[in-house]
Amino acid sequence: MKNNVKYLLLAIAIASVTGCGLLKKYNNEAKAPEDLAGSDEVVERTIGESSIGEISWRDLFCDQLLLDLIDTALVRNVDVNSARLVVKQADEALKAAKLSFIPTLSFNPSYSYDGGHSYSLPFSINWNTPGFGSRTNSLREANALALQAADNEEAVRSMIVAQVAKTYLELQSLDRQLEILDQTCEVWQQVCDTQRALMENGKAYSPSVNQLEASLVGVRIQRVDTEEHLRDVEYALCLLLAETPHKVARNPIGSFNVPDAISIGVPAALLEKRPDVRSAAREVEAAYYAEKISLSAMFPSISLTGMLGWTNGGVKITDPIQMIYNAVASLAQPIFAGGQLRAKYKISQFQREDAANRYAQAILKAGNEVNAALRECKNAAGKEALYLSQVEMLQDAYDATAELMKNGKAAYVEVLMAQNSLLEAQLSMELNRLSGRTSLINLYIALGGGV
């Protein structure tokens, strides 16, 4: 018995000395590059201590109907609820990992009759560790996966906030486009009536009236297509809300403006703010501990078992010498599977390297998204003034051409071209405004907002 105890303690001491690195905690030393979002003039002028990503989405969006829709989506959306269930599963796995340190207790009663009654009421206690540091690293891995699940849930919530907001803004933009088309139809109808009156007085020909009326029909067809697209977008929003298709209440579109100064904050803040980047970091951490678990499997496992119970012969306790003998015998087991264990360890190393590469890619992706969204915001704001000027000039040109046509000094073709150019500019300006609003939301999400 003394020799067995000596060998057991010696094995534990060897495992403790050689396997001390197995208990080393993961330390993420990755840092965001100073020029993560780029180094051009637009980006350099926006870097500051604060970030618009730190603003709550309730403060970013001032439309109460939009806020209500976002609240509904965060409660009912299928993707959000699925992510929430994944978090609960990860939490249960973490609890199980914590309880794995506790010995198992089992009760196995038996009864037999062989000329006489015989029964046994044994309680057995078993404590088993598959390898040095394995349970500790399993617990740390489970904790990293639980945190990753929470980060993924935040990422999904942020995505839903952005999708609902952008879809709502698109509906408002389509409402505005329908207004422009209705106004165009109304004005164009007046032009057709004027041209028909001129034809009846012998000052115009029927082909001009037909051409103008055909153009009016084209605008009406465009309106039908726009209204159909509006319904599709409306139903897409209902899907985000997990509701059956219905008309979505919304306020008229507000004035467009991009803040003069948009602060994106310091690059390092992206590593802490963006849930997808944090999730990628958790994946590396989990892979790190999975590698340690694979390495632990090559160390001897220790198993201690005790039994206490009652039989019809009295109390029985197992021989302690046998317990130690079983524990020592299990120390040699990993040797026979060394090839498989080494292969699994190598695979876990490759998986950790792959996770680290994906984390680096997530950081670069975050910087690219910030850069792209920021430039889109600036471009949309810069084009707004140009579109306003263009629409004003084309409106004046149309009014003047229409007046000349009434006096017989301009051909209908000139009026037709002027009206089409005006309509195209008005719709393009509205699309640019939608692009500006959408890019501002993209920038907000890229900076870790919406959580």
Side-chain angles (χ1 to χ4, degrees), residues 107-112 118-122 307 309-312:
F107 176 53
N108 302 303
S110 63
Y111 170 81
S112 63
S118 176
Y119 66 88
S120 176
L121 301 173
M307 181 176 292
W310 291 266
T311 68
N312 55 352

Side-chain angles (χ1 to χ4, degrees), residues 404-416:
L404 289 174
M405 186 189 71
K406 291 180 182 179
N407 297 325
K409 296 180 180 180
Y412 73 93
V413 176
E414 297 178 81
V415 178
L416 184 62

